[in-house]
Amino acid sequence: ISALNYMGTSTNSNSSTGAIGEFISAIVPLNSSVSLASQVLNNVTSIVLTGGDWDVYGATAYTGPNATLVATVRAGTSPTTSSYAGVVGSLVTNIYTSSAAGIPVYPIGSPILNGPTTRYQVASGVTTTIFLVADATFTVSTTGVFGALNARRAR
């Protein structure tokens, strides 16, 4: 490994690919929300990590018409598509009790989950896809999820 791989940046720009501090992000905006079926895990987005040590974190927000009654929302990062399997500590759950009016449309009162930072180690010469996965338990109508998945190379 060359010395360049250990160098970060001392400016307000991004670190080079392969360098400490490299940042990867995937964002799904509100107008591109992923539709959810109640109690069915879905991928919100994904990123591809190259060899190294990564700190990965994500955030999700849920949206839907006022008729939707939401009981629980969950989100986490995973190396397995549409699954929470694989990484202890990456899942966050919010018990969300909707009023009779249901889930307000984002951003007023929408359940928002900020997941914990999770460490992923990827072997040299290998790539690994990490998924931002979410689900909700709800009745009456529909709901969707949107958010961001971020990774920063730690070393």
Side-chain angles (χ1 to χ4, degrees):
I1 297 176
S2 71
L4 175 64
N5 288 348
Y6 295 106
M7 295 174 56
T9 181
S10 60
T11 68
N12 61 344
S13 63
N14 291 323
S15 292
S16 303
T17 299
I20 292 172
E22 176 185 359
F23 186 76
I24 298 172
S25 180
I27 298 171
V28 175
L30 169 62
N31 63 355
S32 297
S33 294
V34 175
S35 294
L36 294 176
S38 186
Q39 299 180 355
V40 177
L41 282 72
N42 233 327
N43 294 330
V44 180
T45 190
S46 64
I47 55 176
V48 177
L49 303 180
T50 56
D53 193 358
W54 294 88
D55 291 333
V56 178
Y57 53 98
T60 55
Y62 298 76
T63 187
N66 283 337
T68 303
L69 299 175
V70 177
T72 305
V73 291
R74 298 188 305 170
T77 61
S78 177
T80 306
T81 184
S82 298
S83 172
Y84 293 128
V87 180
V88 174
S90 70
L91 175 66
V92 61
T93 300
N94 185 16
I95 307 301
Y96 180 80
T97 305
S98 295
S99 66
I103 179 174
V105 176
Y106 180 83
I108 303 168
S110 173
I112 298 173
L113 297 178
N114 293 308
T117 300
T118 304
R119 181 181 184 188
Y120 288 91
Q121 294 175 294
V122 181
S124 178
V126 175
T127 60
T128 297
T129 302
I130 302 298
F131 300 92
L132 179 60
V133 181
D135 73 307
T137 302
F138 60 94
T139 60
V140 180
S141 190
T142 61
T143 193
V145 61
F146 60 102
L149 179 59
N150 305 300
R152 182 161 310 274
R153 185 183 295 274
R155 61 181 178 95

